[in-house]
Amino acid sequence: MIHEPAHAPDPDSLLGILFRRIFLLRTELGEPAYERSLKALLVALGASALDEAERRARALEGRTGPRPSDVRVTATAARRQSEPLDVDGNH
């Protein structure tokens, strides 16, 4: 088995370690163990994504009002006067 550092310095290295370990699962443990491991990995990935979404929701929950960069969504469109066409190039 290849030994990699438990804490790689960057996400790309972690992804490389993950793919190497998945490959080794298939070659050393066989197809049934490989499939079970992939299913468990997908469950762990989904749980991690849910945890991250909940963390972000908690951060947004503390906001007191809209920020200038927020997009405002309404049920009806706000009608605005259009700018005249600059066909002569005077503007």
Side-chain angles (χ1 to χ4, degrees), residues 1-83:
M1 189 122 204
I2 300 172
H3 297 284
E4 295 102 357
H7 300 286
D10 63 308
D12 292 335
S13 296
L14 289 172
L15 191 60
I17 291 169
L18 178 67
F19 280 112
R20 277 192 297 279
R21 289 183 182 178
I22 289 172
F23 173 77
L24 289 173
L25 275 171
R26 187 177 217 170
T27 57
E28 292 186 11
L29 301 178
E31 204 65 29
Y34 173 69
E35 287 181 28
R36 284 191 303 273
S37 297
L38 284 180
K39 288 176 184 176
L41 180 61
L42 289 173
V43 168
L45 186 60
S48 176
L50 182 60
D51 288 344
E52 179 63 22
E54 288 174 347
R55 185 193 66 76
R56 289 182 180 192
R58 282 190 300 274
L60 290 175
E61 189 177 50
R63 290 177 34 181
T64 57
R67 295 181 181 173
S69 61
D70 287 348
V71 175
R72 184 169 177 249
V73 178
T74 61
T76 59
R79 304 285 180 193
R80 296 194 174 125
Q81 184 69 23
S82 61
E83 294 182 12

